[in-house]
Short mmCIF file of all heavy atoms in Angstrom, two decimals:
data_model
loop_
_atom_site.label_atom_id
_atom_site.label_comp_id
_atom_site.label_asym_id
_atom_site.label_seq_id
_atom_site.Cartn_x
_atom_site.Cartn_y
_atom_site.Cartn_z
N PRO Q 645 3.83 12.29 -27.85
CA PRO Q 645 3.04 12.41 -26.63
C PRO Q 645 1.51 12.23 -26.91
O PRO Q 645 1.09 12.40 -27.98
CB PRO Q 645 3.31 13.81 -26.12
CG PRO Q 645 3.72 14.57 -27.39
CD PRO Q 645 4.43 13.61 -28.21
N LEU Q 646 0.81 11.77 -25.81
CA LEU Q 646 -0.59 11.60 -25.82
C LEU Q 646 -0.98 10.62 -26.94
O LEU Q 646 -1.72 10.93 -27.86
CB LEU Q 646 -1.37 12.91 -25.96
CG LEU Q 646 -1.00 13.94 -24.90
CD1 LEU Q 646 -2.06 15.06 -24.96
CD2 LEU Q 646 -1.01 13.44 -23.50
N THR Q 647 -0.53 9.38 -26.87
CA THR Q 647 -0.84 8.37 -27.89
C THR Q 647 -1.33 7.11 -27.21
O THR Q 647 -0.73 6.69 -26.17
CB THR Q 647 0.48 8.12 -28.69
OG1 THR Q 647 0.97 9.31 -29.27
CG2 THR Q 647 0.11 7.06 -29.80
N TRP Q 648 -2.28 6.49 -27.79
CA TRP Q 648 -2.86 5.23 -27.33
C TRP Q 648 -2.24 4.11 -28.18
O TRP Q 648 -2.22 4.28 -29.43
CB TRP Q 648 -4.38 5.19 -27.44
CG TRP Q 648 -5.06 6.15 -26.53
CD1 TRP Q 648 -5.29 7.48 -26.68
CD2 TRP Q 648 -5.67 5.80 -25.27
NE1 TRP Q 648 -5.98 8.03 -25.62
CE2 TRP Q 648 -6.27 6.99 -24.74
CE3 TRP Q 648 -5.80 4.62 -24.54
CZ2 TRP Q 648 -6.89 7.01 -23.49
CZ3 TRP Q 648 -6.46 4.64 -23.30
CH2 TRP Q 648 -7.03 5.90 -22.83
N TYR Q 649 -1.85 3.02 -27.52
CA TYR Q 649 -1.35 1.83 -28.28
C TYR Q 649 -2.15 0.63 -27.89
O TYR Q 649 -2.59 0.48 -26.79
CB TYR Q 649 0.11 1.60 -27.96
CG TYR Q 649 1.08 2.73 -28.38
CD1 TYR Q 649 1.50 3.66 -27.43
CD2 TYR Q 649 1.46 2.88 -29.67
CE1 TYR Q 649 2.36 4.73 -27.82
CE2 TYR Q 649 2.30 3.90 -30.09
CZ TYR Q 649 2.73 4.84 -29.17
OH TYR Q 649 3.61 5.84 -29.51
N LYS Q 650 -2.39 -0.23 -28.90
CA LYS Q 650 -3.25 -1.43 -28.69
C LYS Q 650 -2.61 -2.56 -29.46
O LYS Q 650 -2.12 -2.41 -30.57
CB LYS Q 650 -4.63 -1.08 -29.18
CG LYS Q 650 -5.64 -2.21 -28.99
CD LYS Q 650 -7.04 -1.78 -29.47
CE LYS Q 650 -7.58 -0.62 -28.64
NZ LYS Q 650 -9.03 -0.41 -28.90
N THR Q 651 -2.62 -3.75 -28.82
CA THR Q 651 -2.22 -5.00 -29.50
C THR Q 651 -2.94 -6.12 -28.85
O THR Q 651 -3.61 -6.02 -27.84
CB THR Q 651 -0.68 -5.20 -29.29
OG1 THR Q 651 -0.18 -6.26 -30.16
CG2 THR Q 651 -0.22 -5.47 -27.87
N THR Q 652 -2.82 -7.31 -29.45
CA THR Q 652 -3.31 -8.53 -28.91
C THR Q 652 -2.22 -9.65 -28.82
O THR Q 652 -1.31 -9.54 -29.63
CB THR Q 652 -4.55 -9.12 -29.69
OG1 THR Q 652 -4.14 -9.28 -31.00
CG2 THR Q 652 -5.68 -8.10 -29.59
N PHE Q 653 -2.35 -10.56 -27.96
CA PHE Q 653 -1.35 -11.65 -27.80
C PHE Q 653 -2.01 -12.82 -27.15
O PHE Q 653 -3.09 -12.76 -26.51
CB PHE Q 653 -0.11 -11.21 -26.98
CG PHE Q 653 -0.38 -10.92 -25.56
CD1 PHE Q 653 -0.21 -11.87 -24.62
CD2 PHE Q 653 -0.84 -9.63 -25.15
CE1 PHE Q 653 -0.45 -11.63 -23.30
CE2 PHE Q 653 -1.11 -9.36 -23.83
CZ PHE Q 653 -0.92 -10.33 -22.87
N ASP Q 654 -1.38 -14.01 -27.32
CA ASP Q 654 -1.81 -15.24 -26.72
C ASP Q 654 -1.14 -15.41 -25.34
O ASP Q 654 0.06 -15.02 -25.22
CB ASP Q 654 -1.61 -16.42 -27.62
CG ASP Q 654 -2.44 -16.31 -28.88
OD1 ASP Q 654 -3.45 -15.55 -28.92
OD2 ASP Q 654 -2.04 -16.99 -29.90
N ALA Q 655 -1.82 -16.03 -24.43
CA ALA Q 655 -1.21 -16.26 -23.15
C ALA Q 655 0.04 -17.24 -23.23
O ALA Q 655 -0.16 -18.28 -23.88
CB ALA Q 655 -2.24 -16.87 -22.14
N PRO Q 656 1.15 -16.90 -22.68
CA PRO Q 656 2.30 -17.82 -22.76
C PRO Q 656 2.01 -19.09 -21.95
O PRO Q 656 1.22 -19.11 -20.99
CB PRO Q 656 3.40 -17.07 -22.16
CG PRO Q 656 2.77 -15.98 -21.33
CD PRO Q 656 1.46 -15.72 -21.88
N GLU Q 657 2.68 -20.19 -22.29
CA GLU Q 657 2.57 -21.43 -21.56
C GLU Q 657 3.19 -21.37 -20.13
O GLU Q 657 4.03 -20.46 -19.85
CB GLU Q 657 3.21 -22.57 -22.32
CG GLU Q 657 2.50 -22.86 -23.64
CD GLU Q 657 3.23 -24.06 -24.40
OE1 GLU Q 657 4.30 -24.52 -23.94
OE2 GLU Q 657 2.71 -24.37 -25.53
N GLY Q 658 2.79 -22.23 -19.30
CA GLY Q 658 3.32 -22.34 -17.95
C GLY Q 658 2.57 -21.53 -16.94
O GLY Q 658 1.51 -20.95 -17.20
N ASN Q 659 3.13 -21.49 -15.70
CA ASN Q 659 2.47 -20.84 -14.61
C ASN Q 659 3.28 -19.79 -13.92
O ASN Q 659 2.93 -19.23 -12.93
CB ASN Q 659 2.06 -21.86 -13.49
CG ASN Q 659 1.07 -22.88 -14.03
OD1 ASN Q 659 0.02 -22.50 -14.62
ND2 ASN Q 659 1.30 -24.15 -13.77
N ASP Q 660 4.45 -19.48 -14.57
CA ASP Q 660 5.29 -18.48 -13.96
C ASP Q 660 4.57 -17.07 -13.98
O ASP Q 660 3.86 -16.78 -14.91
CB ASP Q 660 6.58 -18.30 -14.76
CG ASP Q 660 7.48 -19.55 -14.73
OD1 ASP Q 660 7.65 -20.03 -13.61
OD2 ASP Q 660 7.96 -19.98 -15.71
N PRO Q 661 4.70 -16.31 -12.93
CA PRO Q 661 4.18 -14.89 -12.91
C PRO Q 661 4.73 -14.10 -14.08
O PRO Q 661 5.83 -14.32 -14.55
CB PRO Q 661 4.63 -14.36 -11.55
CG PRO Q 661 4.96 -15.54 -10.74
CD PRO Q 661 5.57 -16.56 -11.65
N LEU Q 662 3.91 -13.17 -14.53
CA LEU Q 662 4.21 -12.35 -15.75
C LEU Q 662 4.36 -10.88 -15.40
O LEU Q 662 3.60 -10.36 -14.51
CB LEU Q 662 3.15 -12.60 -16.78
CG LEU Q 662 2.95 -13.99 -17.26
CD1 LEU Q 662 1.72 -14.07 -18.24
CD2 LEU Q 662 4.18 -14.56 -17.92
N GLY Q 663 5.14 -10.20 -16.15
CA GLY Q 663 5.24 -8.72 -16.00
C GLY Q 663 5.62 -8.15 -17.38
O GLY Q 663 6.18 -8.77 -18.27
N LEU Q 664 5.22 -6.84 -17.55
CA LEU Q 664 5.53 -6.10 -18.76
C LEU Q 664 6.77 -5.28 -18.49
O LEU Q 664 6.85 -4.49 -17.55
CB LEU Q 664 4.35 -5.27 -19.17
CG LEU Q 664 3.15 -5.91 -19.72
CD1 LEU Q 664 1.99 -4.98 -19.83
CD2 LEU Q 664 3.44 -6.56 -21.04
N ASP Q 665 7.72 -5.39 -19.43
CA ASP Q 665 8.94 -4.56 -19.40
C ASP Q 665 8.59 -3.29 -20.16
O ASP Q 665 8.48 -3.35 -21.38
CB ASP Q 665 10.12 -5.28 -19.98
CG ASP Q 665 11.42 -4.54 -19.92
OD1 ASP Q 665 11.39 -3.33 -19.53
OD2 ASP Q 665 12.47 -5.06 -20.27
N MET Q 666 8.49 -2.19 -19.47
CA MET Q 666 8.07 -0.91 -20.03
C MET Q 666 9.26 0.06 -20.20
O MET Q 666 8.99 1.33 -20.33
CB MET Q 666 6.94 -0.34 -19.18
CG MET Q 666 5.74 -1.15 -19.02
SD MET Q 666 4.84 -1.39 -20.56
CE MET Q 666 4.15 0.23 -20.81
N ILE Q 667 10.45 -0.41 -20.23
CA ILE Q 667 11.65 0.42 -20.24
C ILE Q 667 11.65 1.44 -21.39
O ILE Q 667 12.20 2.56 -21.30
CB ILE Q 667 12.87 -0.39 -20.23
CG1 ILE Q 667 14.16 0.50 -20.04
CG2 ILE Q 667 13.01 -1.17 -21.55
CD1 ILE Q 667 14.29 1.01 -18.66
N SER Q 668 11.00 1.12 -22.49
CA SER Q 668 10.95 2.01 -23.68
C SER Q 668 9.91 3.03 -23.65
O SER Q 668 9.80 3.83 -24.58
CB SER Q 668 10.87 1.18 -24.94
OG SER Q 668 9.60 0.47 -24.96
N MET Q 669 9.11 3.10 -22.60
CA MET Q 669 7.99 4.02 -22.53
C MET Q 669 8.25 5.08 -21.46
O MET Q 669 9.21 4.99 -20.69
CB MET Q 669 6.72 3.28 -22.19
CG MET Q 669 6.41 2.09 -23.20
SD MET Q 669 6.31 2.62 -24.91
CE MET Q 669 4.76 3.41 -25.00
N GLY Q 670 7.37 6.10 -21.41
CA GLY Q 670 7.60 7.19 -20.54
C GLY Q 670 6.66 7.24 -19.33
O GLY Q 670 7.02 7.00 -18.17
N LYS Q 671 5.40 7.56 -19.56
CA LYS Q 671 4.44 7.67 -18.49
C LYS Q 671 3.00 7.50 -18.96
O LYS Q 671 2.73 7.88 -20.10
CB LYS Q 671 4.51 9.08 -17.81
CG LYS Q 671 3.54 9.28 -16.62
CD LYS Q 671 3.61 10.69 -16.09
CE LYS Q 671 2.71 10.88 -14.89
NZ LYS Q 671 1.31 10.79 -15.27
N GLY Q 672 2.16 6.85 -18.13
CA GLY Q 672 0.72 6.65 -18.60
C GLY Q 672 0.10 5.58 -17.79
O GLY Q 672 0.25 5.49 -16.58
N GLU Q 673 -0.71 4.76 -18.42
CA GLU Q 673 -1.51 3.71 -17.80
C GLU Q 673 -1.63 2.47 -18.71
O GLU Q 673 -1.52 2.64 -19.94
CB GLU Q 673 -2.88 4.21 -17.40
CG GLU Q 673 -3.65 3.23 -16.49
CD GLU Q 673 -4.90 3.86 -15.89
OE1 GLU Q 673 -5.19 5.02 -16.16
OE2 GLU Q 673 -5.71 3.13 -15.25
N ILE Q 674 -1.77 1.32 -18.12
CA ILE Q 674 -1.76 0.03 -18.83
C ILE Q 674 -3.05 -0.72 -18.53
O ILE Q 674 -3.44 -0.79 -17.36
CB ILE Q 674 -0.54 -0.85 -18.49
CG1 ILE Q 674 0.78 -0.04 -18.60
CG2 ILE Q 674 -0.46 -2.05 -19.41
CD1 ILE Q 674 1.88 -0.76 -17.93
N TRP Q 675 -3.66 -1.33 -19.54
CA TRP Q 675 -4.84 -2.18 -19.37
C TRP Q 675 -4.63 -3.55 -20.01
O TRP Q 675 -4.08 -3.61 -21.09
CB TRP Q 675 -6.14 -1.59 -19.93
CG TRP Q 675 -6.57 -0.29 -19.27
CD1 TRP Q 675 -7.49 -0.15 -18.34
CD2 TRP Q 675 -6.06 1.05 -19.61
NE1 TRP Q 675 -7.68 1.21 -17.96
CE2 TRP Q 675 -6.78 1.95 -18.75
CE3 TRP Q 675 -5.14 1.56 -20.49
CZ2 TRP Q 675 -6.55 3.29 -18.81
CZ3 TRP Q 675 -4.90 2.92 -20.54
CH2 TRP Q 675 -5.62 3.78 -19.73
N ILE Q 676 -5.12 -4.60 -19.39
CA ILE Q 676 -5.16 -5.93 -20.02
C ILE Q 676 -6.60 -6.44 -19.96
O ILE Q 676 -7.21 -6.51 -18.89
CB ILE Q 676 -4.18 -6.93 -19.35
CG1 ILE Q 676 -4.17 -8.27 -20.04
CG2 ILE Q 676 -4.48 -7.08 -17.85
CD1 ILE Q 676 -3.59 -8.21 -21.46
N ASN Q 677 -7.13 -6.66 -21.14
CA ASN Q 677 -8.54 -7.15 -21.23
C ASN Q 677 -9.52 -6.32 -20.42
O ASN Q 677 -10.43 -6.81 -19.72
CB ASN Q 677 -8.68 -8.60 -20.76
CG ASN Q 677 -7.88 -9.61 -21.76
OD1 ASN Q 677 -7.90 -9.32 -22.95
ND2 ASN Q 677 -7.29 -10.62 -21.20
N GLY Q 678 -9.31 -5.00 -20.50
CA GLY Q 678 -10.15 -4.05 -19.84
C GLY Q 678 -9.88 -3.76 -18.34
O GLY Q 678 -10.52 -2.85 -17.79
N GLN Q 679 -8.97 -4.45 -17.77
CA GLN Q 679 -8.59 -4.26 -16.36
C GLN Q 679 -7.32 -3.46 -16.25
O GLN Q 679 -6.31 -3.82 -16.93
CB GLN Q 679 -8.46 -5.54 -15.60
CG GLN Q 679 -9.78 -6.32 -15.52
CD GLN Q 679 -9.78 -7.43 -14.42
OE1 GLN Q 679 -9.76 -7.11 -13.28
NE2 GLN Q 679 -9.73 -8.66 -14.83
N SER Q 680 -7.32 -2.46 -15.44
CA SER Q 680 -6.18 -1.60 -15.32
C SER Q 680 -5.06 -2.24 -14.50
O SER Q 680 -5.29 -2.54 -13.28
CB SER Q 680 -6.50 -0.22 -14.75
OG SER Q 680 -5.35 0.56 -14.51
N ILE Q 681 -3.83 -2.40 -15.04
CA ILE Q 681 -2.69 -2.88 -14.33
C ILE Q 681 -2.23 -1.74 -13.39
O ILE Q 681 -1.69 -2.02 -12.23
CB ILE Q 681 -1.61 -3.25 -15.28
CG1 ILE Q 681 -2.00 -4.51 -16.01
CG2 ILE Q 681 -0.24 -3.47 -14.55
CD1 ILE Q 681 -1.01 -4.92 -17.06
N GLY Q 682 -2.39 -0.49 -13.79
CA GLY Q 682 -1.97 0.65 -12.99
C GLY Q 682 -1.22 1.67 -13.85
O GLY Q 682 -1.05 1.51 -15.02
N ARG Q 683 -0.75 2.65 -13.13
CA ARG Q 683 0.05 3.72 -13.86
C ARG Q 683 1.46 3.17 -14.09
O ARG Q 683 2.11 2.51 -13.29
CB ARG Q 683 0.19 4.95 -12.98
CG ARG Q 683 -1.15 5.60 -12.66
CD ARG Q 683 -0.95 6.88 -11.76
NE ARG Q 683 -2.22 7.42 -11.38
CZ ARG Q 683 -2.85 7.21 -10.24
NH1 ARG Q 683 -2.27 6.40 -9.35
NH2 ARG Q 683 -4.02 7.79 -9.95
N HIS Q 684 1.99 3.52 -15.30
CA HIS Q 684 3.38 3.24 -15.58
C HIS Q 684 4.14 4.57 -15.67
O HIS Q 684 3.62 5.59 -16.16
CB HIS Q 684 3.62 2.39 -16.89
CG HIS Q 684 3.31 3.12 -18.11
ND1 HIS Q 684 2.08 3.25 -18.70
CD2 HIS Q 684 4.16 3.81 -18.98
CE1 HIS Q 684 2.13 3.96 -19.80
NE2 HIS Q 684 3.41 4.32 -20.00
N TRP Q 685 5.39 4.60 -15.23
CA TRP Q 685 6.21 5.79 -15.28
C TRP Q 685 7.72 5.44 -15.29
O TRP Q 685 8.45 5.88 -14.44
CB TRP Q 685 5.86 6.68 -14.05
CG TRP Q 685 6.23 8.13 -14.31
CD1 TRP Q 685 6.95 8.67 -15.26
CD2 TRP Q 685 5.86 9.24 -13.48
NE1 TRP Q 685 7.04 10.03 -15.18
CE2 TRP Q 685 6.43 10.40 -14.06
CE3 TRP Q 685 5.13 9.35 -12.29
CZ2 TRP Q 685 6.23 11.69 -13.47
CZ3 TRP Q 685 4.98 10.59 -11.76
CH2 TRP Q 685 5.50 11.78 -12.33
N PRO Q 686 8.15 4.62 -16.20
CA PRO Q 686 9.57 4.27 -16.23
C PRO Q 686 10.44 5.46 -16.67
O PRO Q 686 11.64 5.38 -16.52
CB PRO Q 686 9.61 3.18 -17.33
CG PRO Q 686 8.40 3.32 -18.10
CD PRO Q 686 7.31 3.87 -17.18
N GLY Q 687 9.83 6.52 -17.17
CA GLY Q 687 10.57 7.67 -17.56
C GLY Q 687 11.04 8.53 -16.37
O GLY Q 687 11.92 9.35 -16.51
N TYR Q 688 10.52 8.25 -15.19
CA TYR Q 688 10.95 8.96 -13.95
C TYR Q 688 12.14 8.12 -13.33
O TYR Q 688 11.96 7.12 -12.75
CB TYR Q 688 9.78 8.99 -13.02
CG TYR Q 688 9.83 10.16 -12.03
CD1 TYR Q 688 8.73 10.70 -11.48
CD2 TYR Q 688 11.00 10.77 -11.70
CE1 TYR Q 688 8.65 11.80 -10.65
CE2 TYR Q 688 11.07 11.87 -10.85
CZ TYR Q 688 9.89 12.39 -10.32
OH TYR Q 688 9.89 13.43 -9.48
N VAL Q 689 13.31 8.66 -13.50
CA VAL Q 689 14.51 8.03 -13.09
C VAL Q 689 14.78 8.27 -11.62
O VAL Q 689 14.60 9.41 -11.12
CB VAL Q 689 15.71 8.51 -13.95
CG1 VAL Q 689 17.04 7.97 -13.38
CG2 VAL Q 689 15.55 8.12 -15.41
N ALA Q 690 15.10 7.22 -10.88
CA ALA Q 690 15.31 7.33 -9.44
C ALA Q 690 16.48 8.14 -9.07
O ALA Q 690 17.61 7.91 -9.62
CB ALA Q 690 15.39 5.89 -8.87
N LYS Q 691 16.37 9.01 -8.16
CA LYS Q 691 17.36 9.84 -7.60
C LYS Q 691 17.53 9.47 -6.08
O LYS Q 691 16.50 9.33 -5.41
CB LYS Q 691 17.15 11.30 -7.74
CG LYS Q 691 17.13 11.77 -9.19
CD LYS Q 691 16.83 13.25 -9.26
CE LYS Q 691 16.72 13.71 -10.73
NZ LYS Q 691 16.40 15.17 -10.79
N GLY Q 692 18.74 9.34 -5.63
CA GLY Q 692 18.93 8.96 -4.26
C GLY Q 692 20.33 8.42 -4.00
O GLY Q 692 21.23 8.61 -4.82
#
Side-chain angles (χ1 to χ4, degrees):
L646 305 192
T647 304
W648 293 81
Y649 296 102
K650 182 178 295 192
T651 190
T652 57
F653 66 94
D654 295 340
E657 296 180 355
N659 296 312
D660 294 312
L662 302 174
L664 288 170
D665 184 351
M666 301 293 290
I667 189 67
S668 64
M669 307 303 285
K671 180 184 183 296
E673 191 172 351
I674 311 167
W675 295 262
I676 182 68
N677 293 327
Q679 297 199 69
S680 175
I681 291 174
R683 301 180 182 95
H684 73 273
W685 202 349
Y688 208 152
V689 174
K691 297 179 181 178

